Structure formats: C-alpha cells, structure tokens
Amino acid sequence: MHDREMVVKRMLYSDFDFSSFPKAPRSIRRKVSSSQRRDDVDCGMMRAIDLLAYVAEKLQEEEGETSSNSINAFEEGYYNQNRLAGKIKQEHQANLASSKSPSENASGVSLEQTQVSDCKRGRGLNPLAGCGNKKEDCDFHVESGGVTVETCVVNNVDAGLEDGGLISLKDPSQLHVQCPEPVHLDGVPNEYRNRSKLVCRDDDESYCEYYKCKDKCNKSYSPSLTWAGHRRAVHRSKCFEGTKTDGSVKALDRKRKLCCRYSPRKHETLHKKRRLSDKGLVVNSDGGITSESVTNSTEKRESENGVLSDAIGLHSEDSRVKFSIKSLRIPELFIEVPETATVGSLKRTVMEAVSALLDDGISIGVTVQGRKVRDDNNTLSQTGLSCRENLGNLGFTLEPGPEKLGVPLSSENPVMSKPTDSTKLSERYYIRSFDLARSAANCVENNSQELVPYQMDISADEQQPSSDSRAMVSVSALEPEALAIVPFKEKPKRTELSQRRIRRPFSVTEVEALVNAVEELGTGRWRDVKLRSFENESHRTYVDLKDKWKTLVHTASISPQQRRGEPVPQELLDRVLASHRYWSQHPPKQNGKHQDAATMVTESGPSM
DNA sequence: ATTAGGG
DNA sequence: CCCTAAT
C-alpha cells in the first residue's frame, strides 16, 4: 500500500484541477465496479487520454486565436493553467482508499501497467472517440517513456466520464488543466523524456504533444522464477518465496533481451565508458525504460546495484600482484513481474532474488584473460597473471555454490512445474545458464602507479549501446499463476566459463614479429609461430596470431583510407601480401624443412 | 591440441 | 575475438 501510494504521489506531483470537468452522475459512475475498472483500465486510460486530447485541442484552439504557433498549445495550455490544481489528488487518493486489495490495484495504476497498457494502445486511436467530438482521423501516437501521469489522471477523468458522459465545454477557455509531469524512474536520460512526447495531429495541421509509447513493445514473458548455472539445473526455492504470485526471476538468453528494447542510440563517451561498469538493475516496462537508459546518476546506482561492492583491496610489494575489486555485480539477472506489480514489489522481488543468491552460497571463480582458471593450486604467475605480462585481466565471477548444481528441476519443488500442463512434468527442465556476476580487477604493474584500464571500461568502447550483461526487469501481463520454468533448449552462448577476452590490438612490433615468423614458417603453422615469436606473450594464442594474420592480409588488401586503428607500416603490409601470396602457392610441407624468407622473396619475383 | 574458416 | 568443425 505504501508503495502504491508512493507511486501515485509521484504521479501526481503536478496537480490537476478537476473541478471544471463536468462529471457523469454518481449513479453512472458507481456502475463501474472495481473489477470492471480493473479490467478496463486500459480503456479507461485511453478514454482519459482522449479527454486530455480533447482538452488540448480546445486549448489549442484558444491559443490559436492569439498565436499562430500552436505547436505546443497543449503543453502550454497545461502549464499556463495552474490555479486549479489539487482536487484531482484528493480524488485519486479516494480512489486508492476504495480499492479493495493491493493486488487488485484497480485505481492505483502502477507504472508498469500504465506504460505497457499505453503501449498496447499504440497509435491509430482516435483520441476524441468517446468524447462526443466530431473530429476524426487524429494520428494518435503513444510511445513508451512517460505515459504514467496521464494514466493517473486518466483514472480520475475516466471516473467522471464513464458511459461516455458528455462534457469537456461551452467556453473552453474556462478549462484549466495543468499538465502533469511525466514520471520517470531514476536514471532515465533526457533523451527518453524528450522522445516521450505524444503528437496528436489532426487534419487542421495543428497538433499538440502528449507522451508517446511505442506499441511494438508489447512482448511479455510468462512469469517465472528460475536460476541457472552451467547447463545444469539450479533451483533456489527461496527465490519463490514471496515472489511467486507477483514476481519472478528468469534467466534468458541474450537474444531474447533485445525484443523489447529500444533501438540503440548513441551516448556520450562518458556514458560509454561507464556503461558496463555501471550497468545494474534496470526497470524495463516492455520498451519503456531500458537498461541502456540508466546511464546517469552513477553514484546512486553504484550504491543500488553494487551487490557486493568495495570488496577487496590488496597491496603489493616486490613480485606481488596488487589489485582491487571495485565491485562485484550480478548483471545477468532477469526478473519478470506482472504488470500489476508495484514498484515496491518489484524492488522486493529483486532483493529476494539477490538475497537468495547470496544466502545459498556462492563461489568465486577466477578468470585470467577471460579464461577460467580451474586449478586452485596454480599460482598467479602460472596462470599468466604476472603483472609484467598481463595488465588488468584478472576477473572474478560469482557462481552458484557447487552443491546447487546438477539438480534436475523435475524433482523439485512443485512450484517449478507448470501446474496446468501435466505433460510438461515429465520433461526435464533446466534453468538457463547465465552469468551470475562478473567483475574486473585492477592489476597494477609492480613499481608502477599506472593503473590499467578496467577490462570492462575497455570493452565498453566495443559494446553497442544496447550491450548485454546487465540486469533487466521486464513486466509481464500474464497471469501470476502461469509460473513456469524455462525449458532448457540451447546451450548458453557464454557463461562465466568463457568471458570474452579483452581486446588488445597488436602493436606494430608484434605485427613485425608476426610477419617475420610467417615469412619464415609459412601460414598454417601458427603453433610454431606462437612458440617462435610469441611464447612470452601469454595473451596471444596461436589462434590470435592466425586471426591477426588474416586481418593483416585484409588490411593490406584494402586502401589505406579504409584502414583503421594504429597504422601498420606499408612496408610490413607489403611483406604480408608477399608472404600470403607465396605461401598460398607453396603450402608448407608437413614436417618438412621450412622455406626461409630469402627463398620466398626470390621466388616471389621482382614485383615484390 | 591445432588448424581453418565463418561470424 | 569468438565459435565450431575437422583433423
């Protein structure tokens, strides 16, 4: 209840005077039962928005008489009329008081519900329908972002206009409407606020602006709560406690995440830099608020989302490795809750999920160069973590405790099975594996205060704005009892076992060494190349060398203008092409003596 | 474990 | 760089 009140209050922090709106008779309004209104809440919202559209139009007409610029008539009309504020708040709170239970939430429309439902409504609706207005063909767009307040107002408006009670106007100038501010969750950047305006255009070339909500963002997931690890089932029954009716956690594959996400947008470099390290809990209302939206208010998110933060600080001397862990995160956490869930319950769901994870015990994995170090007996230097050679590539992962692995879900808790589908019971369900967490550690070279960029910071530049590896909360419109687990269908793309390695561009020196080796050994002997010229560079695998050669050949084949990155001397590129050409015609003999560079150059002819 | 090639 | 198939 408190949560809902809070939401509503936030919705209503701009007041709306309702006194000038004629109301339908009480008898009519009373006909709308609580359940009806809940079921028809979307319609109610839209009708209210319709009303607002009409009001806006009227205001616009008013404005149009004195100003030719009517673009923002709607908003201006709202903002210029302040004196009738207040009453709607009382009405809305009254509605709250009359709602029977928090779960019904008939009038306390949640943020999620608002946005999703408005998304559903989408465009193409006639905002004037139901208002008795003659206008037609309004292009009515609703895009996600901030329809919240309208909805809130809508309920009140709706209450007054049930049964299509005729209004919203002998003298439109008497209308005094204050435009409610859109309600946004913390961290939503301005771009979404800016784009969240709704444009209502009619045939008169005049239009007003509302808030928009994209209708393509309707995808919802079946509520479920699952936990995953290593292709083996990991069920945390604790996660269900208190969440099985209103929330869920599910691991999803990365592709699925994209379904309800805004198309990527460019962000400032600063945001890019921070993207990965700042990623955290994100509220996603089916396209409304996405993870990449949360790129500001860093400090706050640090405290909110750093599940384990400021964990370790180590110092070093001599040959010791020193590093610090800024934070440990749980980025791949998926949570689904019904759209009727309140923000408060959403928070609780996340909290329970995280708590369950921690309470059930986790183990720490160590990755070096993105590769898991399995042998606990290895020394850091043995794992290639000599700071002299490897800078900033020590990583940690949070994993489920080993005792949690290998448990098929079918033998678990009945909650885990779909209660309505007995055939499913016989299937073996697995919870998708996913990155429970990962972190980057700073490895500082001995005798140096120079910090190596965080792995995440570096890779952030490589990431698209809608990059993965973040927690996301989506909202589902499905029934709470549709609790389901995720059948294991496919191998997860990447788990903590195989974190992507940091990108480390080859230096010219390395390129030269590579060219020298290939000239001598030929292509196809990458292991030998590795051993010959890169044995001490543990982060360069023979596959890396092979790949680099491939890109070198490509680079040498394109025009200099098309090349990127640190320029490779043309002389080297020429040698690359020469070697490539030569070894294409002279496959290195297996176990045979290798051709040396002199021979190659000779046989390549004068064109070299 | 290596190599080759597509992504 | 990653992933996978083929050796």
Side-chain angles (χ1 to χ4, degrees):
Chain A
M1 191 61 192
H2 293 302
D3 293 325
R4 189 176 57 194
E5 278 188 9
M6 180 187 69
V7 171
V8 172
K9 284 177 180 175
R10 294 182 63 184
M11 290 175 170
L12 288 173
Y13 68 84
S14 287
D15 289 330
F16 176 101
D17 188 286
F18 201 72
S19 59
S20 0
F21 281 85
K23 291 191 176 77
R26 283 183 179 275
S27 58
I28 295 179
R29 280 187 280 164
R30 198 173 293 128
K31 278 169 35 178
V32 183
S33 68
S34 169
S35 60
Q36 279 176 309
R37 292 183 54 199
R38 181 188 59 220
D39 294 340
D40 296 333
V41 63
D42 287 2
C43 293
M45 282 184 252
M46 283 312 303
R47 297 190 58 180
I49 291 179
D50 296 345
L51 172 61
L52 291 177
Y54 180 66
V55 170
E57 184 182 22
K58 288 301 176 184
L59 288 168
Q60 174 185 314
E61 290 174 358
E62 284 291 302
E63 294 288 325
E65 294 179 6
T66 56
S67 169
S68 59
N69 181 8
S70 60
I71 290 179
N72 292 316
F74 180 70
E75 289 188 342
E76 291 174 5
Y78 266 4
Y79 283 108
N80 290 337
Q81 315 287 338
N82 294 323
R83 56 191 173 95
L84 293 176
K87 192 169 182 178
I88 188 173
K89 192 171 186 174
Q90 299 171 15
E91 287 211 7
H92 201 86
Q93 288 173 340
N95 279 341
L96 283 180
S98 64
S99 65
K100 292 184 178 178
S101 72
S103 62
E104 288 188 4
N105 202 13
S107 57
V109 180
S110 65
L111 287 170
E112 301 92 325
Q113 187 177 31
T114 298
Q115 293 176 333
V116 172
S117 57
D118 281 333
C119 286
K120 288 176 180 175
R121 293 300 162 177
R123 55 171 297 169
L125 299 176
N126 178 1
L128 306 176
C131 294
N133 193 287
K134 60 195 176 192
K135 290 272 186 184
E136 300 291 343
D137 295 330
C138 277
D139 192 7
F140 190 81
H141 301 268
V142 182
E143 287 203 335
S144 55
V147 211
T148 350
V149 174
E150 288 90 334
T151 303
C152 186
V153 174
V154 168
N155 263 356
N156 292 274
V157 175
D158 191 44
L161 295 178
E162 275 307 324
D163 268 8
L166 295 180
I167 299 176
S168 292
L169 270 179
K170 291 181 178 180
D171 184 358
S173 67
Q174 293 178 354
L175 268 181
H176 298 287
V177 184
Q178 183 174 6
C179 183
E181 290 279 348
V183 173
H184 291 273
L185 299 186
D186 293 336
V188 178
N190 286 330
E191 61 179 284
Y192 286 105
R193 303 173 191 232
N194 294 337
R195 79 202 309 233
S196 67
K197 288 184 178 179
L198 180 151
V199 178
C200 174
R201 186 197 301 269
D202 61 22
D203 292 335
D204 295 330
E205 293 287 329
S206 59
Y207 57 92
C208 50
E209 293 181 352
Y210 288 47
Y211 301 92
K212 296 162 60 173
C213 177
K214 233 169 202 169
D215 59 1
K216 74 168 191 178
C217 313
N218 277 331
K219 187 172 179 62
S220 59
Y221 302 137
S222 61
S224 64
L225 178 81
T226 58
W227 214 278
H230 288 295
R231 302 176 64 177
R232 281 175 277 181
V234 181
H235 172 224
R236 315 255 170 173
S237 58
K238 293 180 75 171
C239 299
F240 285 90
E241 295 172 9
T243 64
K244 57 186 175 183
T245 57
D246 64 347
S248 59
V249 179
K250 180 163 62 180
L252 299 170
D253 68 49
R254 292 160 186 254
K255 288 179 181 175
R256 198 171 179 183
K257 293 185 231 175
L258 302 175
C259 63
C260 54
R261 191 175 284 168
Y262 268 118
S263 60
R265 286 185 144 219
K266 298 295 182 186
H267 288 262
E268 292 82 353
T269 303
L270 175 63
H271 289 167
K272 267 190 170 182
K273 287 283 186 182
R274 290 178 170 175
R275 185 172 300 117
L276 284 181
S277 57
D278 285 346
K279 66 172 58 78
L281 171 64
V282 171
V283 175
N284 182 346
S285 178
D286 280 343
I289 301 170
T290 64
S291 47
E292 65 264 26
S293 309
V294 188
T295 52
N296 54 15
S297 64
T298 303
E299 298 304 320
K300 182 172 185 179
R301 283 199 312 285
E302 282 292 340
S303 60
E304 283 180 350
N305 304 315
V307 177
L308 300 174
S309 62
D310 299 326
I312 304 175
L314 294 181
H315 300 284
S316 72
E317 49 188 78
D318 298 329
S319 62
R320 300 189 179 191
V321 178
K322 54 184 175 182
F323 60 90
S324 64
I325 299 177
K326 288 288 186 179
S327 65
L328 295 175
R329 298 174 186 282
I330 303 180
E332 298 279 357
L333 184 62
F334 282 76
I335 295 182
E336 297 185 358
V337 295
E339 67 177 9
T340 52
T342 63
V343 173
S345 71
L346 186 60
K347 291 177 179 176
R348 286 193 296 273
T349 302
V350 175
M351 188 60 190
E352 287 161 4
V354 174
S355 299
L357 170 65
L358 299 180
D359 289 347
D360 279 277
I362 56 176
S363 62
I364 302 295
V366 175
T367 61
V368 175
Q369 300 293 347
R371 299 202 178 278
K372 182 119 178 181
V373 178
R374 298 173 181 276
D375 191 348
D376 288 344
N377 296 321
N378 276 353
T379 67
L380 293 182
S381 58
Q382 284 174 333
T383 59
L385 201 70
S386 163
C387 278
R388 196 168 297 119
E389 300 172 11
N390 299 285
L391 305 179
N393 288 287
L394 174 63
F396 296 95
T397 58
L398 295 186
E399 308 164 22
E403 74 281 2
K404 296 296 175 183
L405 298 175
V407 183
L409 297 185
S410 56
S411 65
E412 289 181 347
N413 190 331
V415 176
M416 295 300 294
S417 300
K418 288 183 180 178
T420 58
D421 191 344
S422 59
T423 65
K424 297 286 185 183
L425 296 180
S426 60
E427 294 184 11
R428 290 173 67 86
Y429 283 97
Y430 292 91
I431 299 173
R432 292 171 193 268
S433 173
F434 69 109
D435 255 345
L436 290 179
R438 67 182 177 188
S439 69
N442 230 8
C443 179
V444 186
E445 194 164 0
N446 291 332
N447 307 319
S448 169
Q449 293 303 311
E450 180 183 2
L451 294 183
V452 174
Y454 280 171
Q455 183 168 345
M456 285 182 174
D457 288 340
I458 293 177
S459 53
D461 285 335
E462 306 297 315
Q463 296 282 344
Q464 294 300 311
S466 61
S467 62
D468 294 327
S469 172
R470 72 197 70 193
M472 176 192 292
V473 178
S474 62
V475 178
S476 171
L478 298 189
E479 300 296 319
E481 60 266 27
L483 275 173
I485 58 179
V486 181
F488 178 75
K489 289 178 182 175
E490 52 187 317
K491 185 168 71 175
K493 291 291 183 182
R494 181 179 296 126
T495 69
E496 64 271 31
L497 287 174
S498 57
Q499 185 183 16
R500 187 184 184 95
R501 289 187 299 158
I502 184 177
R503 181 174 177 270
R504 310 183 93 184
F506 277 70
S507 65
V508 173
T509 302
E510 288 178 304
V511 170
E512 185 170 11
L514 178 60
V515 172
N516 286 334
V518 173
E519 282 179 342
E520 197 164 340
L521 301 173
T523 57
R525 300 176 61 186
W526 303 112
R527 181 175 173 273
D528 292 336
V529 172
K530 160 72 176 176
L531 292 177
R532 170 180 289 245
S533 303
F534 293 86
E535 189 167 17
N536 293 326
E537 294 188 71
S538 60
H539 59 288
R540 302 296 191 197
T541 68
Y542 47 76
V543 175
D544 294 331
L545 302 177
K546 181 263 299 178
D547 287 340
K548 180 57 181 176
W549 183 261
K550 179 174 65 177
T551 60
L552 276 175
V553 171
H554 178 258
T555 301
S557 306
I558 61 179
S559 67
Q561 293 77 20
Q562 295 175 289
R563 297 169 188 165
R564 297 184 300 178
E566 185 182 10
V568 178
Q570 187 62 39
E571 178 262 341
L572 281 178
L573 293 178
D574 291 339
R575 291 167 62 188
V576 166
L577 276 188
S579 292
H580 176 70
R581 215 169 294 151
Y582 176 86
W583 291 113
S584 297
Q585 297 176 324
H586 304 267
K589 296 165 187 167
Q590 212 159 11
N591 299 325
K593 64 173 169 50
H594 64 262
Q595 312 248 351
D596 64 22
T599 307
M600 179 200 76
V601 169
T602 300
E603 298 188 10
S604 298
S607 67
M608 304 305 302

